[in-house]
Structures are given as structure tokens and as C-alpha cells.
Amino acid sequence: MSIPTRAAGLDALDDFVPRAGRAYARDRNLDLGPSRDNVSGLSPYLRHRLLTEHEVVAAVLEDHTLGAAEKFVQEVFWRTYWKGWLEQNPEVWRRYRLEVGELLSGELPDGYEAAVTGRTGIDAMDAWVRELVDTGYLHNHTRMWFASIWVFTLGLPWQLGADFFYRHLLDGDAASNTLSWRWVAGLQTRGKTYLATASNISRFTEGRFSPSGLATTARALDEEPFPSRTAVEPDDVVGTVGDRAGLLLHEEDLEASSLLAERPDLVGEVVAAAVAADPGERSPGGVSDAVVAFTSGALADAAERTRDASGRAAQVLADAEPGSVVSWARSEGLDTVVVPYAPVGPVHERLEALRPALASEGIALVTVRRRWDGVAWPHASRGFFPFREKIPGLVREL
């Protein structure tokens, strides 16, 4: 299991960089078991921004040309694309959250318990469930096979599958997880489904699995239309920083130094720092012990690395409830709490609840969005392929 520190992430990046070029392009779709030297293993670090997309892409392009490392760079930008797309279509997230709550609070469909406990009788699925639960990780190609079998062979609601992943994946985030499941089901790209086949699974697991009885057809699911997309907020900093500003990190972004380096006007004004998270917000059913442990470790690491103007380490708050944050801000005499911008998802919802609680105490909440997101997200208004055409230009600009 990944070690939840920035230092471990940097070690993993250094180890992977030599393999990020043509070797990655050739072997990335193979799932050969736990060693997985053919992929980076960086996703849990990127998901919590213990490492940033900027530094990962920059490190790879120091050793490889963009042409040689194109496939890996695209994988990093897939995460950015999904976030930007959901930012412009937040109702997709809201509806998913509502539907998950309704499904989990009602009578669960036949086959659900067998699926999430690895008792479907499909050897590949049952092995993947055990791996996900034990490690908090699945190979990306395997995630697609899993989702396809869940929806089209087992006939289970995609929302419950997405929720199962979200509760267990160390790298699970609202955009990548929700929209990838929608894509498999034929909702994200309307009418285009992804059908897992035994031959494909056998080929890319080199014969480890060749499941029988899989669905041979996949009719795209349907849904009520969504509102028109909304534009990405043009400003990277929203709000005015007062005389006594505190920095509050959360599980979407735990790398303070590079965040503040993008805003030199804030550096030196941070008189107090804190970190807070609630990974259980991912699902009404809670999250795995592995997700809780990774998030807690990442918070502790971020707290030690993050110092205020007087050199004090950041305080780890007991919880992420508005009352805890307000109490911290009052104890430090703050007039402003600065937070990294949280994209659409549970942390964004939490910050929206925090804003009026702080305002009632005369404390402003100021959000700081990284330039990477502010530049790239507006291009995620259509499918990935138009976005992919922008990647070389985005790399040059960012």
C-alpha cells in the first residue's frame, strides 16, 4: 500500500520517470498483478495533491520528449479533464449523490452483496474485489472491465458500482470516478458503451483471467437531460485577504508551498495554518479503513510540512466540521481563512457550508485555485479528444 507522504510520492516519481516514455506507452494497459512496474502508482499522491500535476509532468519532460511521453502526460491530463468537465456540469454530481443515497437507503438489488464481497462466481471480478478492498487500488484497465461487468453482466446500478469504488480507492475522486463509470455505461458519451470481453481480459492479464459468461451486448443506459453547462469561474482567487489570514488545507490539496508560491501576495501573511479532512463524506455508507488511514497519514504529513509565518507547524483539526474550523480561526484571531479551491465534490460542499459559519463570526473565506486548473478546465467543455488536442499548448503554457 502507498505510503501517504509527499516524500514517498517524490520517491515514486523518481523511480517511475525513466519508464515514463515509450515503455509506458507499450505496456501501460497490461495488468500483471501487484508489482505493476508498467504504471506509475502516482495516482493517490496526485489525487490528494501531495504531488502536483505540474511537477509530475515537468519531471517526466526533463527526461523525455513530449512525443515519447505523450501517453503518460495524457493520463495526467485525463484527471484534469474530468475535473474541468464536472466543474461545468455540477448537476451530474448532485444527481449521482442523490441517487446513491436513495439506492443505499432502500432495498439493495439482487446480486449487490455478492458483488461487493467477491462472491459472484466470476473469478476475475471476485479477485478484483479482494484486491480493491485489500489494497485500495485497481489498475485503470481493470477498472473499466470491472465497471462493464458490473453494469452489463451483473445488471447492477452503475451508481452503486461507482460508490463502491469511491469508498475503497485511495485515489478515488468525485470527477474521475463518477464520470468514468458514466462513460462505461454509455451516459457520458451518449450511446457509447464499453463492453468487457474475455479475450481482451485474457490478453491484457496475460492469461491470469479469462472469465466466461460475460455479456455479449451492451445497450447504453438512458437518463433525464441535464441543464446547460456553466462557465468556469474566471478568477483564480475569490475573496479579499485581510490582515490576519490563516491557511486551511483539505484532502483535495495538501501541498501548501507550491500553492502559495503561485500567490506571492499571500506569502508572509499566513499567521496560522491548519489541516482538516473527512474522507467519510465520500459516501453515505462511509469509506474503507484503508482510505481513512491514507487520508489521515497524508494530513499528518501536510501538517508537518506546512508552517505559518512564525514557523509553527499546521494544526491537525479533530474534524472538518464548520464548528471546529470556526473555533480554530477564533483562537488565532483570524479575519480570513484561505483554502485551496476544491472542485465539485464533497469537499466543495463542505466549504460551501463553512462559508456562512465563518461569515457569522466576521471571518472571510478566500479560495485560491491553482493556475493549472484555471488554465486547463475551460477547455474541458466537450469530449476528451478535443481537449487532447490542446494538451501540447497547455504543456507549453503551464
Side-chain angles (χ1 to χ4, degrees), residues 37-232:
D37 290 338
N38 57 316
V39 293
S40 72
L42 296 174
S43 56
Y45 302 104
L46 285 166
R47 182 262 177 269
H48 294 88
R49 275 188 168 153
L50 291 167
L51 301 181
T52 69
E53 297 88 341
H54 179 277
E55 68 184 322
V56 167
V57 170
V60 166
L61 294 182
E62 284 183 7
D63 271 33
H64 305 275
T65 65
L66 181 57
E70 178 183 33
K71 289 298 183 184
F72 177 73
V73 172
Q74 286 178 4
E75 287 301 315
V76 176
F77 272 98
W78 259 111
R79 182 173 293 271
T80 300
Y81 167 76
W82 284 136
K83 287 180 181 294
W85 192 94
L86 193 59
E87 201 70 16
Q88 297 174 74
N89 298 273
E91 188 59 32
V92 172
W93 166 254
R94 297 188 191 106
R95 188 183 296 180
Y96 158 75
R97 291 282 269 184
L98 179 65
E99 291 167 344
V100 166
E102 291 173 347
L103 286 163
L104 288 177
S105 63
E107 184 176 350
L108 292 169
D110 291 343
Y112 173 78
E113 286 298 333
V116 299
T117 55
R119 295 182 291 110
T120 67
I122 301 173
D123 61 347
M125 281 290 282
D126 295 343
W128 295 332
V129 165
R130 291 191 295 272
E131 181 181 358
L132 174 60
V133 170
D134 290 346
T135 70
Y137 183 81
L138 283 178
H139 187 284
N140 186 58
H141 206 169
T142 298
R143 298 183 197 196
M144 294 165 61
W145 297 325
F146 188 111
S148 180
I149 295 170
W150 178 284
V151 173
F152 300 118
T153 298
L154 300 180
L156 292 168
W158 73 267
Q159 298 94 330
L160 288 181
D163 177 69
F164 180 58
F165 268 21
Y166 202 23
R167 292 163 69 176
H168 287 278
L169 286 170
L170 302 183
D171 63 7
D173 75 59
S176 296
N177 188 63
T178 307
L179 302 182
S180 294
W181 273 84
R182 286 175 51 82
W183 183 83
V184 167
L187 296 170
Q188 192 62 22
T189 302
R190 300 286 291 178
K192 182 178 181 180
T193 58
Y194 176 79
L195 185 65
T197 65
S199 60
N200 187 263
I201 293 170
S202 179
R203 174 188 172 193
F204 287 101
T205 63
E206 293 194 340
R208 285 195 304 131
F209 299 112
S210 184
S212 60
L214 302 187
T216 57
T217 60
R219 192 175 77 173
L221 304 185
D222 202 6
E223 63 187 353
E224 293 296 317
F226 288 97
S228 300
R229 69 181 181 88
T230 57
V232 173

Side-chain angles (χ1 to χ4, degrees), residues 317 324-337 358 363:
L317 301 187
S324 296
V325 177
V326 170
S327 294
W328 164 73
R330 276 203 313 247
S331 71
E332 297 288 349
L334 304 181
D335 58 21
T336 311
V337 172
L358 287 170
I363 304 169

Side-chain angles (χ1 to χ4, degrees), residues 3-6 50 254 291-303 305:
I3 300 170
T5 65
R6 174 167 167 79
L50 291 167
L254 294 170
V291 168
V292 171
F294 188 93
T295 307
S296 297
L299 249 65
D301 175 68
R305 288 184 289 104

